[in-house]
């Protein structure tokens, strides 16, 4: 992509090629980028690209009824077991949010 956004993002030293691709794609489609890293979120904010974290996908699936609360918790725990990092306070908030769904 040779859009102005892609060009600016490609020059950002803290972004991987994958980060640039996700943000460029979201910008081109007026979509939401799923991104956890602070450098990517910061760049997205500068470019006006909306972001959500990985946990948002699980929370949205539970809220929408595609996953049960237990399945959502299992999914979050499995992601952590496979190397996804989440700060302990964020984990506590995510689990609390899962439990708050009816």
């Amino acid at each position: 992509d040779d859009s102005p956004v892609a060009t600016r993002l490609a020059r950002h030293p803290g972004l991987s090629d994958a980060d640039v691709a996700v943000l460029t794609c979201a910008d081109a489609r007026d979509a939401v980028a799923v991104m956890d890293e602070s450098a990517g979120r910061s760049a997205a904010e500068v470019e006006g690209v909306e972001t959500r974290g990985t946990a948002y996908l699980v929370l949205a699936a539970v809220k929408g009824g595609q996953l049960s609360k237990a399945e959502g918790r299992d999914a979050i725990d499995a992601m952590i077991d496979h190397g996804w990092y989440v700060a302990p306070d964020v984990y506590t908030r995510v689990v609390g949010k899962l439990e708050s769904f009816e």
Side-chain angles (χ1 to χ4, degrees):
D1 187 351
D2 59 354
S3 71
V5 170
T7 302
R8 285 191 301 273
L9 290 170
R11 287 189 232 133
H12 192 296
L15 299 180
S16 69
D17 290 344
D19 294 333
V20 171
V22 166
L23 293 173
T24 300
C25 182
D27 179 69
R29 290 167 176 77
D30 196 26
V32 176
V34 177
M35 183 156 297
D36 293 323
E37 294 81 13
S38 60
R41 285 179 172 246
S42 176
E45 185 176 349
V46 168
E47 295 297 340
V49 176
E50 185 179 356
T51 60
R52 293 284 188 261
T54 303
Y56 172 82
L57 298 176
V58 176
L59 291 170
V62 172
K63 188 173 184 178
Q66 291 84 16
L67 293 176
S68 69
K69 287 190 239 182
E71 290 169 328
R73 174 78 179 260
D74 289 347
I76 294 290
D77 290 343
M79 290 187 314
I80 291 169
D81 289 345
H82 286 90
W84 180 63
Y85 173 78
V86 63
D89 63 314
V90 175
Y91 177 81
T92 300
R93 286 197 320 261
V94 168
V95 170
K97 188 70 171 175
L98 280 171
E99 294 303 320
S100 75
F101 293 140
E102 299 272 329

